[in-house]
Amino acid sequence: MLTDTHAHLDSFEDPEGAVERARSNGVERIISISSGLESSRKTLAFAGGHERIYVAVGVHPHAAATGDAPTLSAIEELAGSPGVVAIGETGLDYFYMNSDKETQIRSFTGQIAIARRRGLPIVIHVRDADEDLIGILKSEDVSEKRGVIHCFTGNYETAKRYLDLGFYISFSGIVTFKKSDELRAAAAGVPADRILIETDSPYLAPVPFRGKPNEPAYVKHVAETVAEVRGLKTEELARLTSENATRLFGLDG
Ligand SMILES: [Zn+2]
Ligand SMILES: [Zn+2]
């Protein structure tokens, strides 16, 4: 069994078809991640009609300007809905910088507090912002469930800093790209009980679908690459990353 711990089913034209293809490729569980309040409502509505589709509700750093107090209290209320297993995705993105740093930090720390009050893990997006992000994770009162650094793209030293704070590290299709040697080395080094895999679909398709729309079924290709660098069979890697997802997000086994 494979688990795609990060897909944006609300961004698919045909999420139903994507889920069917995932299932016929052994991807039995999908965590569908939200990017804002409307996205959270849409994602919950879709997941409600499907077995083993779980939800993270939250506001993406790209939409941090919408992460004001009324929006965050609506997110907190949604977080109590059946099927919600995490808060996110949230975090800091200083590459696109769609909102200024202060706005992003406010939205992020607000969601850290929601995760703590709800006893949920956080799904963290970080780009060009590791120093600020690590500083915040050290100074804020973070949920005891911690969470995951999703679509990790750094080296092992950076991964280690998040591991030391109790976080899981999730690898996406980027790990299959030709130039990703440093990332593959990180994927080889993360402890077996802290590694996750994801697609971040419909973005970031892995090789051999690079440049095409991505979907949860392709998490298999991420699993193959990560298994190879860790010297495991794909089935073994699929099993251990699924067990990790079950533990972190409290999924049904
Ligand atoms: Zn992200
Ligand atoms: Zn995402």
Side-chain angles (χ1 to χ4, degrees):
M1 173 179 67
L2 284 157
T3 305
D4 181 359
T5 62
H6 194 115
H8 294 269
L9 293 178
D10 68 312
S11 298
F12 280 75
E13 262 172 52
D14 176 20
E16 205 71 59
V19 169
E20 276 170 30
R21 287 188 297 278
R23 298 262 153 88
S24 53
N25 280 281
V27 185
E28 288 176 27
R29 304 182 304 183
I30 299 168
I31 302 180
S32 192
I33 309 291
S34 307
S35 47
L37 181 55
E38 274 321 300
S39 158
S40 298
R41 291 194 175 115
K42 193 175 165 188
T43 305
L44 270 170
F46 180 78
H50 296 80
E51 291 284 306
R52 310 183 101 193
I53 307 279
Y54 305 91
V55 176
V57 293
V59 178
H60 195 287
H62 289 173
T66 71
D68 52 10
T71 301
L72 292 189
S73 45
I75 293 284
E76 181 152 13
E77 205 176 311
L78 289 178
S81 312
V84 173
V85 298
I87 297 299
E89 61 182 293
T90 177
L92 301 175
D93 193 318
Y94 293 172
F95 179 78
Y96 286 105
M97 202 63 104
N98 290 356
S99 303
D100 58 42
K101 291 185 181 182
E102 200 181 309
T103 307
Q104 292 194 43
I105 291 170
R106 196 184 316 126
S107 173
F108 180 39
T109 53
Q111 292 176 81
I112 288 175
I114 293 172
R116 184 188 64 243
R117 289 193 290 265
R118 285 285 181 184
L120 291 170
I122 348 171
V123 177
I124 295 180
H125 168 110
V126 57
R127 189 150 179 204
D128 291 355
D130 290 302
E131 292 310 322
D132 279 9
L133 197 117
I134 288 167
I136 290 168
L137 293 178
K138 283 182 173 166
S139 64
E140 293 290 310
D141 191 3
V142 177
S143 164
E144 64 179 35
K145 295 272 173 59
R146 298 296 189 262
V148 57
I149 308 302
H150 107 87
C151 193
F152 183 75
T153 52
N155 57 22
Y156 182 73
E157 286 65 44
T158 306
K160 180 79 171 53
R161 298 173 75 190
Y162 291 112
L163 290 164
D164 288 347
L165 292 169
F167 282 80
Y168 287 63
I169 305 287
S170 179
F171 295 89
S172 70
I174 294 177
V175 80
T176 68
F177 294 177
K178 207 174 167 195
K179 288 185 179 158
S180 299
D181 286 331
E182 204 176 54
L183 184 58
R184 279 186 286 275
V190 171
D193 60 351
R194 294 281 201 89
I195 188 167
L196 296 169
I197 52 173
E198 63 170 88
T199 57
D200 206 10
S201 55
Y203 319 106
L204 287 172
V207 173
F209 304 105
R210 193 170 177 186
K212 304 220 174 73
N214 193 7
E215 56 178 70
Y218 300 165
V219 77
K220 184 168 78 173
H221 300 280
V222 179
E224 281 167 4
T225 299
V226 175
E228 197 186 315
V229 299
R230 296 178 71 93
L232 296 174
K233 290 189 179 129
T234 305
E235 309 80 77
E236 292 171 323
L237 190 277
R239 197 194 62 238
L240 85 90
T241 50
S242 283
E243 284 169 3
N244 291 345
T246 299
R247 187 183 330 110
L248 176 62
F249 297 107
L251 309 185
D252 309 310

